Amino acid sequence: MRSLFIQKFLINKITWLYILSGGFVLSTALLGVFISSVHVPVPTILHIVLDNTFGWGWLNEVARNEEMIIWNIRLPRVLLAFFVGASLGLAGAAFQGLLRNPLADPYTIGVSSGASLGAVIVLFFQFTILGLGNFTLPIVAIVCGFISLLIVFGLVRLSSRSLAIETIILAGIIVSSFIGAVVSLIISLSDQDSMTQIIYWLYGSVGLRGWSHVQLILPFMLCGSFILFYHYRELNALALGEEAADHIGVDVKKGKLYILIGASLLTGAAVAVSGSIGFVGLVIPHLVRIVTGPNHRHVLPLSLMVGGAFLIVADLVSRSIIAPEELPIGVITALIGAPVFALLLIRERVGGERR
């Protein structure tokens, strides 16, 4: 009887978490579209969105400039912020589950740095791969991110036969530092215009982007999300350790490869369209795991939803706090994420000592 009661309570708790997360996403998206320096009435905004999406508009006449602001500037910006935050949150949850460490995320293990280097190379040389067109930037970023990940694991293999978590994170920091030096070298060789473009891009932003950037990230986000959602059982098994996972019939090598590919797809695409935005993949999965527990069946989708909503809020703050000027969104996520993560670490340390 008691176990049934606990099971029913957990089911209700998880259901409420999904409802609250969905409400968080919807409310932040609406705020992101409604709030701006240019005031547009709410009925007009709803008409523009519904008319362009489903053809359900009801107003006879809408000012052309208002339609341009909502449909071509605000809505793609909100969607892009959600997709980037969702990708980083989901990738962070996957890396933390795979490495069994709350400090693991796309930035601490070098994937984001590699993706940044690939994107900076494309921006610096202004080249396009034949047949890829606009997809050159995300493809190169994803490939470079995955190569940096392989380098990290190669260093770990050379230094230690066992893939110790601390060694992986240390190797990630080393590779990220080296890549950062290469990026600095590229910046120093750039002219004034290219230097300004690259530096501003590295700070992280979803401003001055349009539907083309949404179209760039969407296929990679969907593909990476599908891979990770499909392999959530492997993440649950790996939480017990690789030997235990192997004993219960999990193909550890293949599962790890799929998880790394999925997380690299998400990270590379996010970095390609928005630049470097830190702490989303570090803090959000950690918060979600505290509330839901270790089951990745719920950790992964909730990290996606909360990560996307969080970045919409961060973007809203970045363009409102010193309006009409904007702060880089990476600055906002760092200012919010670093103290929150510090508090979480202190909380875990205190809780561990009490136990």
Side-chain angles (χ1 to χ4, degrees):
M1 182 67 71
R2 184 180 177 185
S3 61
L4 289 173
F5 174 78
I6 293 173
Q7 186 177 7
K8 184 177 180 181
F9 171 76
L10 289 174
I11 292 172
N12 290 336
K13 177 187 174 183
I14 295 298
T15 302
W16 275 110
L17 285 174
Y18 278 107
I19 293 172
L20 291 173
S21 299
F24 185 36
V25 172
L26 182 60
S27 59
T28 54
L30 292 174
L31 287 174
V33 176
F34 292 157
I35 298 176
S36 184
S37 56
V38 179
H39 176 70
V40 179
V42 173
T44 303
I45 294 174
L46 293 175
H47 164 83
I48 293 169
V49 173
L50 293 174
D51 186 47
N52 282 276
T53 307
F54 304 108
W56 293 350
W58 64 88
L59 299 178
N60 294 326
E61 188 175 347
V62 175
R64 180 63 179 167
N65 66 320
E66 291 182 346
E67 185 169 2
M68 290 286 291
I69 289 170
I70 298 302
W71 186 252
N72 293 330
I73 298 176
R74 288 194 203 171
L75 187 59
R77 179 169 184 159
V78 168
L79 289 176
L80 187 64
F82 175 78
F83 290 153
V84 170
S87 298
L88 294 175
L90 182 55
F95 282 127
Q96 289 178 10
L98 179 65
L99 301 177
R100 304 187 301 282
N101 192 304
L103 292 177
D105 87 318
Y107 289 82
T108 55
I109 63 174
V111 181
S112 179
S113 299
S116 296
L117 177 60
V120 167
I121 289 171
V122 175
L123 292 173
F124 179 74
F125 291 104
Q126 295 292 317
F127 68 88
T128 302
I129 297 175
L130 186 64
L132 291 180
N134 292 333
F135 285 94
T136 297
L137 184 61
I139 291 294
V140 172
I142 289 167
V143 170
C144 288
F146 195 70
I147 290 173
S148 69
L149 187 65
L150 293 178
I151 293 172
V152 168
F153 279 92
L155 285 175
V156 174
R157 283 292 187 189
L158 289 173
S159 62
S160 173
R161 289 295 179 185
S162 61
L163 293 176
I165 307 304
E166 296 80 6
T167 311
I168 292 173
I169 293 175
L170 181 60
I173 293 171
I174 293 169
V175 171
S176 296
S177 299
F178 178 78
I179 291 174
V182 175
V183 170
S184 298
L185 176 63
I186 293 173
I187 292 173
S188 66
L189 296 174
S190 305
D191 56 38
Q192 189 66 38
D193 292 337
S194 297
M195 183 186 298
T196 303
Q197 180 187 7
I198 292 173
I199 291 175
Y200 185 78
W201 178 86
L202 286 172
Y203 283 148
S205 175
V206 292
L208 301 177
R209 270 75 163 171
W211 288 108
S212 60
H213 290 83
V214 175
Q215 292 169 356
L216 281 178
I217 190 176
L218 187 58
F220 299 104
M221 178 193 164
L222 292 176
C223 184
S225 300
F226 175 78
I227 292 172
L228 293 181
F229 289 155
Y230 186 78
H231 292 279
Y232 80 89
R233 293 181 182 86
E234 283 88 337
L235 280 170
N236 285 341
L238 287 168
L240 305 173
E242 293 187 15
E243 291 186 4
D246 189 54
H247 284 313
I248 60 176
V250 173
D251 191 336
V252 174
K253 290 185 177 180
K254 186 180 290 186
K256 287 172 65 176
L257 178 62
Y258 280 124
I259 292 164
L260 291 174
I261 290 173
S264 297
L265 280 173
L266 292 169
T267 304
V271 170
V273 298
S274 66
S276 298
I277 299 175
F279 286 98
V280 179
L282 190 66
V283 175
I284 298 302
H286 199 63
L287 285 171
V288 169
R289 195 172 282 106
I290 288 174
V291 178
T292 64
N295 189 349
H296 286 87
R297 180 181 181 182
H298 305 301
V299 170
L300 294 179
L302 287 172
S303 295
L304 182 149
M305 296 166 69
V306 177
F310 170 73
L311 205 64
I312 293 175
V313 173
D315 178 55
L316 185 59
V317 173
S318 72
R319 59 186 167 95
S320 303
I321 194 168
I322 56 170
E325 300 296 325
E326 290 189 14
L327 285 173
I329 194 171
V331 174
I332 302 300
T333 58
L335 288 174
I336 297 173
V340 170
F341 193 68
L343 290 173
L344 290 174
L345 288 178
I346 293 170
R347 175 181 176 274
E348 282 203 351
R349 179 67 181 271
V350 172
E353 289 179 352
R354 287 177 178 174
R355 288 193 293 270

